[in-house]
Structures are given as structure tokens and as C-alpha cells.
């Protein structure tokens, strides 16, 4: 049986004998964390990483000062791909913390699965199995697979996924707590679900491809965000659209120079098969637009450019609806998920020109050239209601780490789940 280690908080610095700026010292019953007054949550998360590195499996958070946010920071640092539990919560916040842990744990576990385990259809089924028990009488779903996608006009998901033997799918999950079939859809969440991204014929180098199981992190994030909002009492009708495919090379794979014609008439020339996320999201955004929902949120591990701009500490947020963007940034700050606005203007739609189609899916250069994250967002803006009112695009730069850091174990982080769930709770039904 694994021993339970007690962890307490200590506002004072460690004794000199432990060295300078030491954040973790032993006690008779376990360990104490010496808080950094300027960055208390960050210092706790770092100390929790150290405890995980020592092989500690089970901890009890004990003593004074453990707020919800500080307990959550400990959980984020302590857990890993191999250990998603092991924290005994303290006080009145235990229920909320367990809700968070269940959603983050599911998203991280799914994202960390191997590409062989998680086919596009398996991802859809994982989301159904996670969400349905949370509101069994309020949730229904539909999976559109393979050539059915083409028959219904979802050319992006079909085009990207047709190179794989395992068919691409679109999951449409309907959470309708009103019980009324004709109830309006108040919000739609759209997630990029590329279960493995080789880059297609614009093939990635091995070092970049090795962690491309994470490219369905957007789908996991929005599904977990919906689950968290449901557990917090969401009473509005919300639909979830996951755009799931494997981006592989074969005789059936889409090619550079191909042109896709979307349901809204937009034609897209393929200049980079590794810019596939925006192609599948375009279908999801078109579906969301067709519902008439006043709030549309998409999330994706979309561009390396967002990581170049922000590192792995912040998610990027794009919007043409600047008032909504500012409110969403406020919600993200409330739940302590670092999120930063990057530029998006209507003219970004024209940043990937094509002589053969309305637009290309990228510029014909590595990473899409300068401003790649904004150009990708500009591409997506072609597929939302005119003017982008009510639409938010999260580029999840902080959703995955390819190796251990001082704050995170290698793998999925779940960052973005709380910000999107809170935005959904605050904004759905506002219009």
C-alpha cells in the first residue's frame, strides 16, 4: 500500500541550511512548500513537480492556506501521463476540485493515447462515453463517417482524412437540457480532432511528428470544457462538433494543388497538406453557423506560429468580435489560465492568396511564413457568420509539452478547458 504523504504550506522562506530559493523542504510528516509571495500558484506547481520527481504517489494537502486555486496548481504539477490521481483534496472546495480533475484527467488521458489506440472514430466514441453519463437524458449524438461526409458536403474533414484506412468522422453531440426539440442552440463548440498528423505530402520531420498524437487536443479540450460546464449546472442548449481525421500519406491522400469547394461556396487551393487543421475546422464552423447559434467557440492545436509567439505558457485567442474577446480574456484570468490576444483583422482573410481559388490554405513556405497564426485565424473567419460576431478561436499553444518542464510533466496539460467552460457558462444565452 502506498504511504500518504502530508503536504503543508509555509509562507516563510526555507532555512538557510537548505540553500537559497528552495521551495520544498521535509517535515516530520511529509513536506512543506515555501510560497513565493509574488507567484504563489506557480511556486506550488513547481514544488509539486519536484514531489512527482521524487516518486511520491499519494498526498494529503493539509494545514492552512489551501485555496481552490492553490490546490489546483498542486494537482497540475503533481500529476503526469502515468499518474492522473493521487491528491486528497482539503475543505469545502473538494467537490469542485474533483469535477475539474475528472475533466482534465479525461482530456489528458485521451490526448496522451497512442495514435494506434485513438482512431478518428475512437476519439468520437471516447467523447460520447465521457459526456453522456453526465446528463444521459439530455444528450444525443450523431457520427458522420467516411464517404457520408462527402455526401453531406463536409469536404474538409473528408479531404484530410481520406488518405487513411481508418475513416474520418464528424461527431455532432447535442446537449439539450430543455427537453424541447425545437429549442434554439445557444452555443456550438468546435474542436480539431486530428488523431495523428504526419503532415501528409508536406511531411513533417521525425522530431516534429513524434508527438503529433496531440493534434486532437482541441477536440479533447472543448469536450472536456462542455463536461465541466454541465457539471457546473449549464442549462443552455449547446452542441459539440468534433472534426476527426488522420492526416496520412497514401495513394488516396489529398495533394498539393487540389482544390476543395466548401458548402458556403468558398474554394480553397491546397498549398500545404500540413495546414490541415484549418481545413477540418472550416467544416465544423460551417455546421455551427448553420445552427444559428449566437456563440461559436473553436479550439485547436493549430499553428506552431502561436507557440513561437507565446511559448508553451499561454494559449492564443483570436476574434473579430473584440468585445466578446475582452470578456473571454477576463474569464480566462478568473480561472487562472494564461491566455493572450493575437492580431486578427478582416484583411487577414486575404493573406493566403491563390490564382486558382478564392484562397489557399497557407502560404507556400515553411510554417506559412510570418504572421502564420493570424493568417490561419483569417482563413477560419471565412466560415463563420459575417463580421465574426459571437465567434472565438483558441489556438492552444499551451495544451501539450513534448518533454518535462519545471511546471508540467510531458504530455497534455488541459490548459484551455477552464477558460472555455467559463466563457460558455457566462456567454451562452446572453444574446
Amino acid at each position: 500500500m502506498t504511504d500518504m504523504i502530508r503536504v503543508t504550506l509555509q509562507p516563510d522562506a526555507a532555512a538557510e541550511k537548505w540553500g537559497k530559493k528552495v521551495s520544498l523542504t521535509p517535515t516530520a510528516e511529509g513536506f512543506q512548500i515555501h510560497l513565493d509571495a509574488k507567484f504563489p500558484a506557480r511556486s506550488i506547481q513547481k514544488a509539486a513537480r519536484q514531489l512527482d520527481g521524487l516518486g511520491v504517489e499519494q498526498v494529503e494537502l493539509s494545514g492552512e492556506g489551501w485555496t481552490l486555486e492553490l490546490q489546483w496548481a498542486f494537482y497540475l504539477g503533481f500529476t503526469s501521463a502515468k499518474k492522473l490521481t493521487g491528491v486528497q483534496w482539503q475543505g469545502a472546495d473538494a467537490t469542485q476540485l474533483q469535477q475539474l480533475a475528472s475533466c482534465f484527467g479525461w482530456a489528458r488521458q485521451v490526448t496522451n493515447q497512442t495514435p494506434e489506440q485513438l482512431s478518428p472514430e475512437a476519439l468520437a466514441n471516447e467523447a460520447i462515453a465521457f459526456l453522456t453519463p453526465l446528463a444521459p437524458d439530455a444528450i444525443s449524438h450523431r457520427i458522420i463517417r467516411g464517404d457520408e461526409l462527402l455526401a453531406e458536403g463536409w469536404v474538409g474533414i473528408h479531404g484530410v482524412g481520406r488518405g487513411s484506412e481508418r475513416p474520418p468522422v464528424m461527431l455532432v453531440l447535442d446537449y439539450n437540457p430543455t427537453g424541447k426539440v425545437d429549442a434554439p442552440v445557444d452555443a456550438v463548440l468546435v474542436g480539431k480532432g486530428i488523431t495523428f498528423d504526419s503532415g501528409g505530402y508536406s511531411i513533417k520531420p521525425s522530431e516534429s511528428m513524434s508527438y503529433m498524437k496531440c493534434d486532437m487536443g482541441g477536440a479533447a479540450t472543448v469536450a472536456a470544457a462542455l463536461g465541466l460546464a454541465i457539471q457546473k449546472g449549464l442549462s443552455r442548449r449547446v452542441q459539440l462538433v468534433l472534426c476527426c481525421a488522420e492526416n496520412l500519406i497514401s495513394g488516396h491522400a489529398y495533394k498539393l494543388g487540389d482544390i476543395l469547394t466548401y458548402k458556403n461556396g468558398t474554394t480553397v487551393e491546397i498549398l500545404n497538406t500540413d495546414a490541415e487543421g484549418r481545413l477540418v475546422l472550416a467544416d465544423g464552423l460551417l455546421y455551427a453557423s448553420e445552427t444559428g447559434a449566437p456563440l461559436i467557440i473553436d479550439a485547436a492545436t493549430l499553428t506552431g506560429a502561436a507557440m513561437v509567439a507565446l511559448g508553451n505558457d499561454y494559449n492564443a485567442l483570436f476574434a473579430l468580435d473584440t468585445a466578446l474577446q475582452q470578456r473571454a480574456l477576463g474569464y480566462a484570468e478568473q480561472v487562472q489560465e494564461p491566455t493572450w490576444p493575437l492580431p486578427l483583422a478582416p484583411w487577414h482573410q486575404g493573406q493566403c492568396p491563390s490564382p486558382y481559388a478564392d484562397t489557399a490554405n497557407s502560404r507556400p513556405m515553411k510554417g506559412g511564413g510570418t504572421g502564420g497564426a493570424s493568417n490561419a485565424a483569417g482563413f477560419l473567419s471565412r466560415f463563420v457568420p459575417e463580421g465574426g460576431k459571437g465567434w472565438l478561436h483558441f489556438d492552444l499553444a499551451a495544451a501539450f509539452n513534448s518533454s518535462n518542464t519545471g511546471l508540467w510533466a510531458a504530455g497534455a496539460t488541459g490548459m484551455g478547458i477552464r477558460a472555455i467552460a467559463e466563457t460558455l457558462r457566462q456567454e451562452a444565452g446572453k444574446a
Side-chain angles (χ1 to χ4, degrees):
M1 183 175 178
T2 303
D3 292 333
M4 181 72 73
I5 302 297
R6 183 168 293 179
V7 180
T8 58
L9 296 180
Q10 172 57 255
D12 299 325
E16 286 187 12
K17 68 177 181 178
W18 298 112
K20 292 183 178 180
K21 297 183 179 180
V22 171
S23 60
L24 186 69
T25 58
T27 65
E29 297 177 312
F31 292 89
Q32 59 185 351
I33 298 174
H34 299 272
L35 292 177
D36 181 330
K38 290 184 178 179
F39 306 106
R42 194 173 177 89
S43 63
I44 286 174
Q45 190 168 340
K46 286 182 176 180
R49 287 297 313 128
Q50 294 175 43
L51 286 172
D52 178 57
L54 292 172
V56 175
E57 294 288 333
Q58 299 279 341
V59 298
E60 175 190 354
L61 305 182
S62 181
E64 300 292 324
W66 284 108
T67 65
L68 183 149
E69 293 300 340
L70 295 184
Q71 291 187 71
W72 185 241
F74 184 93
Y75 171 87
L76 293 178
F78 184 69
T79 50
S80 67
K82 296 179 180 179
K83 181 186 67 187
L84 290 169
T85 59
V87 180
Q88 184 172 312
W89 310 113
Q90 185 198 77
D93 296 320
T95 298
Q96 287 190 63
L97 287 161
Q98 189 51 45
Q99 290 173 349
L100 282 169
S102 69
C103 294
F104 272 68
W106 176 82
R108 293 169 75 182
Q109 178 267 328
V110 168
T111 305
N112 290 333
Q113 281 189 36
T114 71
E116 183 60 28
Q117 290 172 317
L118 198 70
S119 68
E121 191 161 1
L123 172 57
N125 285 326
E126 288 268 14
I128 294 165
F130 167 64
L131 290 167
T132 302
L134 299 179
D137 296 328
I139 288 179
S140 59
H141 69 269
R142 181 184 177 217
I143 294 178
I144 310 164
R145 62 176 61 77
D147 288 344
E148 295 172 0
L149 291 162
L150 201 57
E152 296 193 23
W154 307 121
V155 297
I157 301 172
H158 182 273
V160 171
R162 75 188 192 205
S164 172
E165 293 182 357
R166 302 197 287 188
V169 305
M170 175 191 277
L171 168 66
V172 178
L173 184 141
D174 188 3
Y175 169 68
N176 186 3
T178 70
K180 300 176 182 178
V181 176
D182 59 349
V185 178
D186 289 295
V188 180
L189 302 178
V190 181
K192 173 187 172 184
I194 302 296
T195 56
F196 184 72
D197 182 18
S198 71
Y201 281 106
S202 304
I203 192 167
K204 293 178 181 289
S206 293
E207 60 268 23
S208 299
M209 203 189 303
S210 62
Y211 54 88
M212 278 299 105
K213 62 185 180 182
C214 79
D215 216 17
M216 38 60 64
T221 297
V222 290
L226 177 57
L228 181 59
I230 290 172
Q231 291 185 75
K232 287 181 172 292
L234 180 67
S235 61
R236 296 289 182 169
R237 185 178 185 182
V238 176
Q239 293 193 345
L240 173 74
V241 181
L242 302 187
C243 309
C244 309
E246 290 180 317
N247 186 20
L248 300 181
I249 297 171
S250 75
H252 300 291
Y254 76 132
K255 307 168 188 68
L256 283 80
D258 283 348
I259 293 178
L260 302 178
T261 302
Y262 281 85
K263 289 185 77 172
N264 67 348
T266 300
T267 56
V268 178
E269 182 188 7
I270 308 304
L271 291 185
N272 185 347
T273 60
D274 196 24
E276 86 298 330
R278 65 200 70 181
L279 298 175
V280 302
L281 285 176
D283 280 339
L285 293 173
L286 283 172
Y287 175 89
S289 300
E290 289 178 357
T291 69
L295 177 65
I296 300 172
I297 303 173
D298 78 73
T301 50
L302 200 65
T303 66
M307 289 186 283
V308 170
L310 302 177
N312 292 111
D313 296 312
Y314 285 78
N315 286 328
L317 179 61
F318 296 86
L320 293 169
D321 187 337
T322 54
L324 174 61
Q325 182 184 47
Q326 287 304 308
R327 294 197 299 273
L329 290 168
Y331 304 140
E333 185 175 6
Q334 287 173 26
V335 297
Q336 298 188 25
E337 284 197 338
T339 308
W340 199 260
L342 287 183
L344 178 61
W347 53 261
H348 278 107
Q349 286 190 1
Q351 290 298 93
C352 298
S354 165
Y356 306 105
D358 296 326
T359 183
N361 71 324
S362 177
R363 291 179 180 175
M365 57 191 72
K366 182 175 175 60
T370 57
S374 293
N375 295 342
F379 178 92
L380 294 179
S381 72
R382 292 174 174 270
F383 302 94
V384 297
E386 188 174 354
K389 182 173 174 56
W391 168 59
L392 295 169
H393 163 53
F394 285 82
D395 197 331
L396 301 173
F400 191 89
N401 291 298
S402 57
S403 59
N404 293 329
T405 74
L407 290 172
W408 299 96
T413 66
M415 294 300 290
I417 292 171
R418 294 183 74 188
I420 292 172
E422 191 62 22
T423 301
L424 182 64
R425 288 192 339 109
Q426 297 283 353
E427 293 292 328
K430 221 177 191 183

